Amino acid sequence: MKYAAAILGLIGLSTAVALPADDPERILPPNWTFEIEHLKGPGCPDQGNEGSDGRITRPTYGSNTVDGSEIYYWFIAYPWMRVDLAEGPSHTWCEATIKYTEYKDTEKTEEGEDYRLRLHKNGTRGIMTYDLDAGCRCTGTLPTRLPTTKMYIVDTITLTGPLQSPQQHSKEHSSDVSYPPELIPQPECGSGTFSFHTELWVKGGEGQTGIVASETVYSKDTVGVQYYGTQQGFSYDWEKCAS
């Protein structure tokens, strides 16, 4: 997965932008959800509970293309996923197990088994802030473990300084990786789980600035500085299962 030092988030997005009538038929279930089932690692110590900085590892939002290619993205925000050469750590990681549920109806009253989810059709995206001196290098990797298999799909995003995000506002980076069709289908139709083992490094010389994090907000009356979370976006689409 690609994600320049940032990572992934998700939320339920079942409403898509209508395409022109002459575009290909859309292939997608009536509704679906992504939920975090389990977290492990120093990059997500909250384990789904509110951390001391006021934010949790969580799904954020989803999106899709409107050019007929039907590539979808879902994002997860990791408030604890940040690296800093001066104040540490310079390496961190989080393994997130995601529960995917397919529904037969838009109201989510009944689970379905009519579609097969396919991951990483077109790589990974990362949304983060960064400040890297010349020679500093940040690398993010996202090995994805598919359910009921031992197969991993690995995508990487690398940022090399000098590089800064404008006024500490998040920027998005993409890996633009395309995977062969035989690598991306989930083995079964309907609901299932998959895992992301996301790692983030920053390397540089002594005294250099090398920071990758997320946008922050300051709340004087509550917890002080809060990190929104570096975001990792994974791509996916569906194929129709045989009747």
Side-chain angles (χ1 to χ4, degrees), residues 47-109:
Q47 297 295 301
N49 298 312
E50 187 167 329
S52 61
D53 62 357
R55 299 279 186 175
I56 63 171
T57 304
R58 67 203 183 280
T60 54
Y61 75 99
S63 63
N64 67 283
T65 60
V66 292
D67 61 0
S69 61
E70 293 306 302
I71 297 172
Y72 294 76
Y73 279 87
W74 212 276
F75 289 83
I76 299 174
Y78 299 79
W80 301 89
M81 186 73 74
R82 47 189 187 261
V83 289
D84 186 338
L85 278 178
E87 299 181 5
S90 60
H91 166 251
T92 190
W93 63 275
C94 175
E95 182 165 298
T97 299
I98 309 301
K99 178 183 178 183
Y100 160 73
T101 305
E102 175 192 322
Y103 292 97
K104 284 184 173 292
D105 59 326
T106 57
E107 291 75 25
K108 305 179 185 177
T109 62

Side-chain angles (χ1 to χ4, degrees), residues 60-227:
T60 54
Y61 75 99
S63 63
N64 67 283
T65 60
V66 292
D67 61 0
S69 61
E70 293 306 302
I71 297 172
Y72 294 76
Y73 279 87
W74 212 276
F75 289 83
I76 299 174
Y78 299 79
W80 301 89
M81 186 73 74
R82 47 189 187 261
V83 289
D84 186 338
L85 278 178
E87 299 181 5
S90 60
H91 166 251
T92 190
W93 63 275
C94 175
E95 182 165 298
T97 299
I98 309 301
K99 178 183 178 183
Y100 160 73
T101 305
E102 175 192 322
Y103 292 97
K104 284 184 173 292
D105 59 326
T106 57
E107 291 75 25
K108 305 179 185 177
T109 62
E110 182 181 359
E111 289 193 25
E113 295 182 347
D114 299 319
Y115 295 86
R116 179 179 289 109
L117 180 70
R118 307 194 307 172
L119 293 172
H120 290 281
K121 179 176 182 179
N122 198 44
T124 305
R125 293 179 179 175
I127 302 176
M128 76 292 300
T129 66
Y130 43 85
D131 186 355
L132 301 171
D133 283 348
C136 284
R137 189 180 184 88
C138 175
T139 304
T141 65
L142 181 72
T144 303
R145 184 174 61 201
L146 300 183
T148 69
T149 75
K150 294 183 179 180
M151 182 175 69
Y152 284 82
I153 298 174
V154 180
D155 200 356
T156 301
I157 294 177
T158 300
L159 298 178
T160 302
L163 210 58
Q164 288 184 318
S165 55
Q167 300 177 359
Q168 288 303 297
H169 288 302
S170 294
K171 293 193 69 176
E172 181 174 313
H173 294 262
S174 301
S175 65
D176 296 326
V177 171
S178 289
Y179 294 95
E182 64 270 18
L183 289 183
I184 55 181
Q186 300 283 56
E188 298 177 357
C189 298
S191 304
T193 61
F194 52 92
S195 298
F196 294 121
H197 184 94
T198 302
E199 304 223 12
L200 181 61
W201 292 266
V202 62
K203 297 181 180 180
E206 185 176 353
Q208 285 193 304
T209 297
I211 302 171
V212 177
S214 69
E215 293 184 12
T216 60
V217 294
Y218 180 76
S219 175
K220 181 179 179 180
D221 298 327
T222 55
V223 295
V225 175
Q226 297 182 45
Y227 288 83

